């Protein structure tokens, strides 16, 4: 059965918007091109072929929520503003937790957010000679810089991408198919 998961791009409420589904667990439910984890999906395929991973494996998303609040922002629900990433991509494990736990939905985060400390010699020197003053929030006493960083996996909303580039969506889909070796 081919019944893609409904998605209403640019809705302010992520439940109304719907999940981005690029997994192969239920192929007929997919509503996105590509595969969750992008190029790493090849490693999953190798693990499956080598029988090193069970076919129905689903990751454990315990402790994977971002360490800080990000959004929502007005642009997330402005039609056409965001067409190449999922602004809710850091939260599907929270937004769709019940559906995922029941097995009805298999999605993956497309944004990973983490905190880190950067040790930069120039900053450490500036702290040691007094040019910079640590605030214990962004700059620590030892000169480490506290950062929040994100790894973002592309998620293309093809109707929006087509509009952005002034091409017909059907033509974009055809060219993507032809120039990705039939992958998309």
């Amino acid at each position: 059965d081919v019944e893609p998961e409904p998605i209403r791009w640019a809705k302010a409420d992520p439940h109304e918007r719907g999940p981005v589904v690029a997994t192969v667990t239920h192929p007929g439910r997919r509503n996105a091109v590509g595969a969750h984890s992008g190029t790493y999906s090849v490693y999953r395929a190798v693990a499956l072929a080598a029988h090193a991973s069970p076919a129905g494996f689903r990751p454990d998303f315990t402790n994977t929520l971002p360490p800080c609040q990000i959004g929502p922002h007005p642009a997330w629900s402005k039609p056409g503003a965001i067409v190449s990433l999922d602004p809710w991509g850091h939260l599907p494990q929270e937004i769709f937790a019940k559906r995922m736990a029941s097995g009805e939905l298999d999605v993956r985060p497309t944004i990973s957010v983490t905190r880190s400390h950067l040790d930069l010699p120039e900053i450490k020197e500036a702290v040691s000679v007094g040019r910079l003053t640590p605030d214990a929030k962004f700059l620590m006493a030892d000169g480490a810089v506290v950062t929040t960083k994100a790894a973002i996996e592309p998620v293309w909303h093809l109707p929006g991408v087509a509009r952005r580039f002034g091409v017909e969506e059907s033509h974009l889909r055809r060219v993507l198919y032809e120039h990705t070796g039939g992958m998309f």
Side-chain angles (χ1 to χ4, degrees), residues 61 64-66 89-97 100 107-109:
F61 291 115
T64 61
L65 289 174
H90 57 303
L91 298 172
Q93 67 275 41
E94 177 180 63
I95 296 167
F96 304 108
M100 291 170 69
V107 296
R108 309 282 192 270

Side-chain angles (χ1 to χ4, degrees), residues 134-148:
D135 62 2
K137 183 176 180 182
F138 300 108
L139 182 59
M140 307 309 286
D142 68 355
V145 178
V146 178
T147 65
T148 301

Side-chain angles (χ1 to χ4, degrees), residues 9 20 22 32-39 83-87 89 108-111 151-157 161 184:
W9 206 258
V20 172
V33 297
H36 283 302
S37 304
T39 56
V83 298
S84 61
L85 63 89
D86 176 7
R108 309 282 192 270
T110 58
I111 299 175
I152 302 172
E153 183 178 316
V155 175
W156 288 26
H157 178 244
V161 171
F184 301 117

Side-chain angles (χ1 to χ4, degrees), residues 47 77 98:
S77 58
K98 288 180 184 172

Side-chain angles (χ1 to χ4, degrees), residues 31-48:
N31 62 12
V33 297
H36 283 302
S37 304
T39 56
Y40 290 100
S41 62
V42 173
Y43 295 110
R44 175 171 157 62
V46 170
L48 289 169

